Amino acid sequence: MTAADAAPGNGAGAGPGTTAGAGAAPAAGAGAARTAVGAIEPAPFGADPARSVRASITQASVERAFAILIAVAALGFGATTVPAVLSQLPYLDPVWGPVAACALAASFLFVGASVFVRRLAQIAQIVCALVFLVVLVTWPLTAREPIPSDQAPWPWWLCTVGSTAAAMGFAPWRASVYTALVPAVYVVIRFTPAGGDAGAGAVLNGFYTAILSGAALIIVIVLRRAAAAVDAAQATAVRRYSHAIREHATEVERVQVDAIVHDSVLTTLLSAARADTRDARVLAARMARNAIDHLEAAASDGPGDAPPVPLVDLRERIADAVGALAAPVRVDRGHLGTARVPAIVADAVASAAVQAAVNSVQHAGPADVERWIVVEQRGAGVHVEVGDRGTGFDTATIPAERLGVRRSILERVVAVGGTAEIVTAPGAGTRVLLDWRPTTGEPR
């Protein structure tokens, strides 16, 4: 086993929250194949930033906070505006007045529902902003009679909600145009009889709206840029950490080779140079043979030296590892013939399957969610399915710094010549499919 093989195992082992069952997994990739159970050595450069360092502000967390904020604002301000809407209905067009109010209320409900479906959040924010702008611009057509001068058109109470939705849903320059347009339109409307003919008071109200809307826009832009900078910094840290691990592995190999060269090769050469008798030459030849054996062992050291693993043993290894998880995982008895897989493949597939089961226990839902693992022979290879009927997820939303799925499952199997696929969707459960088939010359 080379040091380069061992290095990734330090970061791909059982991560935070992994139960004892996961820790008892056969090994984290090829590197841990010869390590005692639970005795994976720590990374030489400290904790992997992709696993142990969680930034307090990230793009995903900021967008989540924005979605909750606009939902609370829309529903809260919308509820408090209902009395104003009802009191002004007699002055409004009998058709368009209620339709405009109901359309805006529906957009607010859409924003509230989008909190639970992240991929709809931006769409809901854009819809809310556009519907509000239409309601505001068409107010002169909506008001059939002039409203009392001591009242403001009911959309006034929702100007900040519309501008905040635009700040969150639109690109910065579009949001800036929207933020400037809404107060201007409101001031113009307030100067008309349909808007209450407010006079100079309309300018003051428009100024307040511009200040609040502008502040919301600035906060949104600043937080998004800060979150993007944090994500970029963490991605850079992960890349540098991986590079440092590779450099460390190379250095460890160099030190090992140097030690062999110093202890065996140079000693042999010195002995050969001083061999002036038959016995001394025989001894020098024996030392040369030993030195060659040392170099060959260093070059071939790895899990490939271990005998191939029967699929029955592979299934039992996975079953033993998941048996101690916090939620039950059923290991089904699929078709298992006489096929065997190389030890390095068995380690990679077993570790990936256990990691997938750990992810399911942690994220798929409560303990009563059905979870299963199927290990079966397909041709001369092996197929493993790890599935659950839990919450599922959208693979496109996985942050770049989260390497548990990519490195501990996908890349681990691909590294030994296999394939890995994740089939999932929000609310539809998750299936992780791992396949490996031998190429010509590999043991069966």
Side-chain angles (χ1 to χ4, degrees), residues 33-34 302-311 313 317 340-347 443-444:
R34 298 185 180 182
D305 301 333
V309 178
L311 296 188
D313 293 348
R317 182 188 298 185
R340 299 177 299 166
V341 296
I344 188 174
V345 174
D347 290 336
R444 304 190 178 196

Side-chain angles (χ1 to χ4, degrees), residues 113-205:
S114 69
V115 172
F116 305 99
V117 187
R118 295 185 183 182
R119 63 178 180 273
L120 297 179
Q122 185 179 21
I123 297 175
Q125 293 157 8
I126 293 175
V127 169
C128 177
L130 293 178
V131 171
F132 173 77
L133 186 60
V134 170
V135 170
L136 182 64
V137 171
T138 59
W139 178 262
L141 303 177
T142 305
R144 186 178 55 178
E145 300 178 10
I147 64 174
S149 58
D150 61 339
Q151 294 186 19
W154 63 261
W156 147 255
W157 305 104
L158 303 173
C159 285
T160 304
V161 175
S163 298
T164 304
M168 296 178 182
F170 292 137
W173 71 269
R174 290 191 179 93
S176 300
V177 172
Y178 188 102
T179 300
L181 182 62
V182 166
V185 171
Y186 174 76
V187 170
V188 171
I189 290 175
R190 286 290 278 154
F191 273 110
T192 64
D197 200 10
V203 178
L204 187 60
N205 289 340

Side-chain angles (χ1 to χ4, degrees), residues 18-245:
T18 304
T19 64
R34 298 185 180 182
T35 305
V37 175
I40 298 177
E41 297 180 357
F45 298 97
D48 187 342
R51 290 184 167 269
S52 61
V53 178
R54 289 290 177 262
S56 57
I57 298 179
T58 64
Q59 195 93 37
S61 65
V62 167
E63 296 300 332
R64 177 69 172 170
F66 283 164
I68 296 174
L69 175 63
I70 189 60
V72 171
L75 297 177
F77 280 95
T80 58
T81 309
V82 170
V85 175
L86 296 178
S87 66
Q88 293 180 11
L89 280 180
Y91 305 99
L92 307 182
D93 183 87
V95 176
W96 181 245
V99 168
C102 291
L104 192 57
S107 71
F108 287 176
L109 293 175
F110 185 24
V111 169
S114 69
V115 172
F116 305 99
V117 187
R118 295 185 183 182
R119 63 178 180 273
L120 297 179
Q122 185 179 21
I123 297 175
Q125 293 157 8
I126 293 175
V127 169
C128 177
L130 293 178
V131 171
F132 173 77
L133 186 60
V134 170
V135 170
L136 182 64
V137 171
T138 59
W139 178 262
L141 303 177
T142 305
R144 186 178 55 178
E145 300 178 10
I147 64 174
S149 58
D150 61 339
Q151 294 186 19
W154 63 261
W156 147 255
W157 305 104
L158 303 173
C159 285
T160 304
V161 175
S163 298
T164 304
M168 296 178 182
F170 292 137
W173 71 269
R174 290 191 179 93
S176 300
V177 172
Y178 188 102
T179 300
L181 182 62
V182 166
V185 171
Y186 174 76
V187 170
V188 171
I189 290 175
R190 286 290 278 154
F191 273 110
T192 64
D197 200 10
V203 178
L204 187 60
N205 289 340
F207 183 69
Y208 290 152
T209 301
I211 291 177
L212 292 176
S213 301
L217 176 61
I218 292 173
I219 291 173
V220 168
I221 293 176
V222 169
L223 285 179
R224 275 182 172 159
R225 289 181 178 177
V230 170
D231 285 352
Q234 187 165 24
T236 301
V238 171
R239 288 195 301 271
R240 290 179 177 176
Y241 177 89
S242 300
H243 178 72
I245 286 294

